[in-house]
Amino acid sequence: MAMNVRHPIWLPAAPAPGISAFATLFFIETFARATLSTVVPLQAYDIIKNSQLLSLLYTGIALVTLLFSLILPFIIVRLSRRWTYTLGAVTLMVAALCFATYTFTGQVGGMLARVIGSACLNVTLSLYVLDYIRKQQFVRYDSVRLTTSTIGWALAPYMGVWLYVHYGPWATYGLSFTFACILVCVFWYLRLTDSKAIQPARQPPANPLKNVRRYAAQPRLRLAWIIAFGRSSYWSTLFIYGPILMVTSGLGQEAGGLLILAANALLITAMAWGRLAERWGVRRTAVLGFYATAACLFVAGYFGTQQPLFAAAAILAASFFSVPLDAVGSVPFYRAVHPYERAQMTSVYRTYLDFGELVPPLIYAILLGFFDLGVVFVALGFVLIGCGTMTWRFLNPRI
């Protein structure tokens, strides 16, 4: 009699993800978001026709996102990190569809969906990194992540503008939608939630205001937030007002896209800056980035719309010196946060992005009532000098 013997089938366990896996996710996410980064402010300016009102719109969007970031730990507990990350990618798809309507309502809805989706992706990916990447690898991870994403940040903004100008909104937003779909597929393929270390918390998260107070009570976390706020303010200003500077000075929308392309291409130097930070120290590297970027921004503000090519050259120089802020800017937080409160503190830390999009446009909206567009870059320069001074005074030299 024949016997049916069922032999065990040994399925290989998914390897623990490392730097390359998270860099891949960030790379794909970059294309999904960066395709829209230059088009969104240009389309908003086309619809609104006023740079001061545009600043107020960005301020309102950032305020809503700030509130969402503070309640994000509740969402992560209810949905788990896996589904929160998926929600973020799907929300980016919704944003693309809203933008494609080319209406004021669709523009506002798309801007809200885009920043909410980015918040979900940013916080959950940061939690995965804290779980899987060793502290000794944080500098290397950030530099590798930025270097590998350089292609996306360099090409995608210009691709988005080129498609927008030559083929219309649906071409640009369709490309962003496609990359968001790819992001979901790759994320689920990596099976990040297979590790017990990243299962959702069993206890409900603390009240958001308590999380803020707990964060603010820790000097090292406060300083990490200030450093991140400075670099976020630079990039949010560049993506909004760099293209507008090109348009208002008569150089056109594609010139704005080329400016963003060139600025983002400089991220290729992130790995070199990371090596410098490992040898020279995070504090000195970050301070150099803050002060040198501020000096270049003062030059850009001086030339303004009167001499846009010189202003663009100064902005590119500022972008070069801002790269070390991205290469090492998150390291102070990674090394300061306690493992038992990562989810709560990461959600508060992530508000640097919201404040980076909330505070500068609010200041610019006031200043633009009295000065021309160049004042935006001068004001940002003073903000970065303040951040650099605090970094030099309070950041531990051994970090």
Side-chain angles (χ1 to χ4, degrees), residues 104-396:
F104 178 78
T105 302
Q107 183 73 21
V108 174
M111 292 170 72
L112 281 171
R114 180 170 176 259
V115 293
I116 287 174
S118 298
C120 293
L121 295 172
N122 181 270
V123 170
T124 49
L125 187 62
S126 295
L127 293 174
Y128 286 130
V129 168
L130 288 169
D131 283 326
Y132 282 108
I133 303 298
R134 298 193 304 271
K135 286 188 175 182
Q136 296 82 357
Q137 295 181 306
F138 285 152
V139 173
R140 181 169 176 263
Y141 163 70
D142 268 1
S143 58
V144 170
R145 171 178 63 88
L146 289 169
T147 301
T148 55
S149 67
T150 297
I151 298 175
W153 283 116
L155 294 180
Y158 180 71
M159 289 170 56
V161 171
W162 188 84
L163 290 171
Y164 182 82
V165 171
H166 295 282
Y167 295 97
W170 277 101
T172 297
Y173 303 128
L175 183 62
S176 176
F177 186 95
T178 300
F179 277 109
C181 292
I182 295 172
L183 179 63
V184 172
C185 295
V186 173
F187 172 74
W188 280 84
Y189 172 78
L190 290 174
R191 294 180 290 171
L192 292 177
T193 52
D194 285 356
S195 171
K196 293 182 180 179
I198 53 176
Q199 293 300 313
R202 301 302 178 188
Q203 299 297 325
N207 182 285
L209 294 180
K210 291 183 179 179
N211 291 338
V212 173
R213 287 196 295 267
R214 171 62 182 159
Y215 190 103
Q218 302 180 62
R220 293 172 64 196
L221 290 182
R222 291 200 305 265
L223 181 60
W225 189 94
I226 290 171
I227 294 171
F229 167 77
R231 64 188 176 93
S232 175
S233 297
Y234 174 76
W235 287 109
S236 65
T237 300
L238 173 64
F239 277 105
I240 297 171
Y241 297 96
I244 292 176
L245 175 68
M246 296 295 99
V247 171
T248 55
S249 60
L251 297 181
Q253 293 180 337
E254 288 196 52
L258 286 172
L259 175 64
I260 301 301
L261 184 156
N264 285 322
L266 295 170
L267 287 171
I268 196 68
T269 63
M271 193 170 292
W273 283 109
R275 291 197 186 100
L276 176 64
E278 290 176 339
R279 191 178 306 174
W280 206 28
V282 171
R283 184 178 73 160
R284 285 194 285 182
T285 304
V287 170
L288 170 64
F290 276 126
Y291 286 163
T293 302
C296 296
L297 287 172
F298 290 145
V299 175
Y302 173 78
F303 288 118
T305 56
Q306 303 302 314
Q307 295 178 293
L309 292 180
F310 288 105
I315 290 172
L316 291 180
S319 298
F320 172 76
F321 286 110
S322 73
V323 174
L325 302 178
D326 290 281
V328 303
S330 296
V331 174
F333 173 76
Y334 291 154
R335 292 181 175 172
V337 66
H338 297 297
Y340 59 84
E341 56 183 4
R342 284 174 177 172
Q344 293 84 355
M345 296 302 99
T346 300
S347 67
V348 178
Y349 173 70
R350 192 253 167 228
T351 61
Y352 76 81
L353 288 170
D354 307 318
F355 276 93
E357 296 179 353
L358 171 65
V359 176
L362 183 59
I363 296 173
Y364 304 154
I366 297 172
L367 294 176
L368 287 170
F370 303 94
F371 305 99
D372 64 14
L373 195 60
V375 73
V376 165
F377 302 103
V378 175
L380 178 59
F382 283 112
V383 171
L384 297 188
I385 286 178
C387 293
T389 301
M390 296 191 70
T391 302
W392 179 255
R393 289 190 61 186
F394 299 114
L395 186 63
N396 189 333

Side-chain angles (χ1 to χ4, degrees), residues 35-47:
T35 303
L36 307 180
S37 60
T38 308
V39 173
V40 168
L42 288 176
Q43 179 169 296
Y45 186 76
D46 284 343
I47 295 173

